[in-house]
Amino acid sequence: MTQSICILGGGISGLTAGAFLAQAGCRVTVLEKAKTVGGSAGAYVRQDRRFPAGATVAFGLEDGGLLTGLFGGLGIEVPAVRLAHPMDVVLPDRTVSVYQDRLRWKAELARVFPERAAEVLAFWKELSQIGGTVFGVTATGVSLPVRRLYDLGHLPGYALRHPARLLPVARRALWTVGDLLNAHGLGSYAPFRQFLDAQLMDAAQTDCGHAALLPASLALDIYRRGSYFVEGGLGQLSELLADRIRGLGGEVVMSSPVTSLIREDSSWRVVTRKRSDLYDVVLNSTGVSFGIGTSHAEDDAFSWGAFRIDAVLDERFAEEHLAGRTLPFALQIQPAAGHPVYEAGGHGPVYVTFLPSADGHGEPINGEIMMTCSIHTEPGGWERRPKEIYAEKKRALADAMLAAIEDVMPIERYVHRSDAGTPATYDRYIGKTAVGGFPLTVRNAILQPNSVRSPLPDFYLAGEQSFPGPGTLSSALSGYHAARAILGGRIHPSFSGYR
């Protein structure tokens, strides 16, 4: 019998799962609360400008890449441009330019960290080797935690072919990035540790002392595999997946927030404001709880909230201060201890992206560029009442973030307008204050990774809260793993890196 499957949430994980399920012959319905698909990898319109909802750069689109394998398995080609120099990390006393080319990257490490260049290069060499093995293991299709034989994917064959690669990784399975730093005598080398912390807060939602080495090694070195600007914005990935689902006979229904889930006999009744339908299976990819057992958000694990600013700048800023860099271009700014941004509730680096300006329909606008900037913050404490206190707290953090950017580049005189959003804003529009998934600690990533299976019958989970964790690529992989679990292992993507 053909299964009917309802997917809650039209983000990258839900749409990836939906495309594989529809391709396997299931009747798929995707219900999305917003007016557009994409979630954190999508976009929204604010004052006739189309801003990215979160991520602006994609990973895994290289030949043999993980995202290439997923989309290739669905017959989808992604128009993308590789970015040779996607980012600068600005530390209190130095700036690190992140390059795709490995030789140029090694030269940059030696230039920026001359006090301990030999140790830094040795550290990165080992980190890269570990990351390469983690990539190979991930490309086998293994799904953690292993609950069924097919969750192993092609891992047994990979292990037989490459035992020498796996042994050193197995020995470091419970290490943090900080442990590897200590092994290379770099534990107290503050500048390099600050750089890693800035990168890890974005990629792993935590710092060196807590980030699990195995997933973090791949996240830190993934720029050398290539970062990509997707034509039309990163939300184009979700649009392609949604089109594939529709082309296979499935539904993608917008502006359809779910109001309740009810178990009836052996089916699930999914209720929205406009419809009430029965389905054989439900996949929740929203991260929002609809009752006990319906989300990993009910666990005690901590997740960060985000505070962000969307701004429109005069295009002269790019001409005068970005030195011809290809857009999008990002800055990770790590302010010095005691900076007002921390007193106002921010945590970690200020993450800034400059990108081409587009109107509400995605058409380019001449004479300006757009800027998004965000910072981690505690998800609690941002309640909108009383209004005066909320507004002052919001203004203080926004001003502190803009001041941190101004310390690096003079943006103030180029700003046409700017608007800020808090965790309360996220709660209003997507139903949750915490975004970005659980931190990739040893506990969350190695010892007790979140399964795509829930404790409820015929109910599955995907997205940033399910392993392998935060990020567009990871969410897409979790969607694939969820689809495979629903189908009992009867799908295989076109991965090639594990060989």
Side-chain angles (χ1 to χ4, degrees):
M1 294 179 62
T2 302
Q3 286 184 301
S4 60
I5 299 172
C6 184
I7 297 174
L8 313 183
I12 194 77
S13 59
L15 293 170
T16 300
F20 275 110
L21 291 166
Q23 185 169 263
C26 299
R27 298 197 308 274
V28 172
T29 300
V30 180
L31 301 177
E32 169 54 45
K33 179 179 182 180
K35 296 179 181 179
T36 58
V37 293
S40 296
Y44 58 88
V45 177
R46 173 178 272 181
Q47 297 188 48
D48 195 37
R49 296 297 183 274
R50 186 178 177 86
F51 289 95
T56 54
V57 172
F59 300 99
L61 288 173
E62 68 276 11
D63 290 341
L66 298 173
L67 205 56
T68 300
L70 287 173
F71 277 78
L74 294 167
I76 297 174
E77 293 186 9
V78 180
V81 178
R82 185 187 290 247
L83 301 173
H85 176 197
M87 175 193 299
D88 282 349
V89 181
V90 183
L91 305 176
D93 66 340
R94 63 195 76 192
T95 296
V96 187
S97 292
V98 175
Y99 297 114
Q100 182 268 323
D101 183 79
R102 288 192 178 273
L103 291 178
R104 195 175 184 186
W105 174 238
K106 290 178 182 178
E108 179 70 359
L109 289 174
R111 182 191 70 81
V112 177
F113 302 107
E115 307 94 340
R116 306 292 298 277
E119 294 95 329
V120 167
L121 289 172
F123 168 91
W124 208 276
K125 180 179 180 180
E126 183 172 1
L127 181 89
S128 178
Q129 290 171 343
I130 294 171
T133 301
V134 172
F135 172 85
V137 169
T138 304
T140 66
V142 63
S143 178
L144 299 178
V146 174
R147 300 279 176 80
R148 304 286 191 276
L149 186 60
Y150 57 76
D151 288 340
L152 288 169
H154 298 288
L155 181 60
Y158 181 86
L160 288 173
R161 288 190 298 275
H162 307 293
R165 293 184 192 176
L166 290 175
L167 184 58
V169 170
R171 288 173 177 169
R172 291 161 176 74
L174 301 182
W175 279 29
T176 65
V177 174
D179 291 328
L180 187 63
L181 279 172
N182 292 334
H184 287 271
L186 294 168
S188 60
Y189 183 39
F192 189 53
R193 194 174 186 113
Q194 285 179 328
F195 164 70
L196 293 175
D197 283 344
Q199 292 272 276
L200 287 169
M201 280 303 299
D202 178 52
Q205 308 293 303
T206 189
D207 58 20
C208 289
H210 300 91
L213 175 61
L214 300 193
S217 63
L218 181 55
L220 287 168
D221 202 46
I222 199 167
Y223 285 98
R224 260 51 65 194
R225 294 184 178 276
S227 56
Y228 295 83
F229 173 61
V230 177
E231 295 178 20
L234 201 55
Q236 186 67 15
L237 295 178
S238 297
E239 294 288 353
L240 290 169
L241 289 167
D243 288 344
R244 181 62 174 151
I245 292 171
R246 295 186 185 104
L248 291 165
E251 282 188 289
V252 181
V253 187
M254 312 310 302
S255 302
S256 296
V258 174
T259 58
S260 65
L261 299 175
I262 305 166
R263 185 68 174 170
E264 295 185 4
D265 297 325
S266 58
S267 301
W268 284 98
R269 180 169 296 280
V270 181
V271 182
T272 71
R273 289 195 296 261
K274 297 180 179 179
R275 57 196 286 177
S276 175
D277 299 296
L278 287 173
Y279 299 91
D280 298 319
V281 176
V282 170
L283 169 62
N284 182 10
S285 68
T286 67
V288 177
S289 176
F290 297 93
I292 296 174
T294 63
S295 172
H296 289 307
E298 300 157 10
D299 298 340
D300 294 332
F302 174 79
S303 293
W304 286 104
F307 185 101
R308 66 175 283 153
I309 299 172
D310 296 321
V312 175
L313 309 183
D314 192 289
E315 69 174 353
R316 290 181 298 115
F317 175 82
E319 298 167 358
E320 297 171 10
H321 298 286
L322 294 181
R325 292 182 176 93
T326 302
L327 299 183
F329 182 77
L331 295 174
Q332 280 183 339
I333 303 171
Q334 183 67 66
H339 192 280
V341 76
Y342 303 130
E343 297 175 7
H347 182 93
V350 178
Y351 193 96
V352 187
T353 303
F354 304 101
L355 58 159
S357 188
D359 66 16
H361 302 287
E363 295 298 320
I365 298 178
N366 295 324
E368 64 183 44
I369 65 170
M370 297 193 303
M371 178 184 77
T372 65
C373 47
S374 62
I375 194 168
H376 287 76
T377 186
E378 295 275 356
W382 284 99
E383 296 78 10
R384 302 178 70 88
R385 299 290 188 274
K387 289 183 178 180
E388 297 77 11
I389 295 176
Y390 172 81
E392 177 56 34
K393 185 176 182 180
K394 179 178 177 181
R395 181 166 46 251
L397 184 49
D399 288 347
M401 290 171 64
L402 292 173
I405 302 170
E406 186 75 19
D407 291 341
V408 177
M409 288 182 169
I411 64 165
E412 183 177 356
R413 64 178 179 268
Y414 299 97
V415 176
H416 290 171
R417 69 168 189 262
S418 66
D419 300 282
T422 75
T425 310
Y426 282 91
D427 187 43
R428 178 182 177 186
Y429 288 103
I430 65 175
K432 57 184 178 179
T433 58
V435 294
F438 299 128
L440 289 183
T441 61
V442 172
R443 176 188 179 275
N444 292 341
I446 307 299
L447 298 176
Q448 299 178 35
N450 285 328
S451 175
V452 296
R453 299 176 177 87
S454 84
L456 303 175
D458 302 317
F459 199 98
Y460 296 81
L461 303 166
E464 59 191 18
Q465 293 181 344
S466 296
F467 194 75
T472 300
L473 174 56
S474 297
S475 291
L477 286 168
S478 79
Y480 158 71
H481 291 318
R484 186 174 63 178
I486 291 170
L487 294 171
R490 299 192 305 274
I491 55 172
H492 301 282
S494 304
F495 295 140
S496 60
Y498 73 91
R499 298 189 181 93

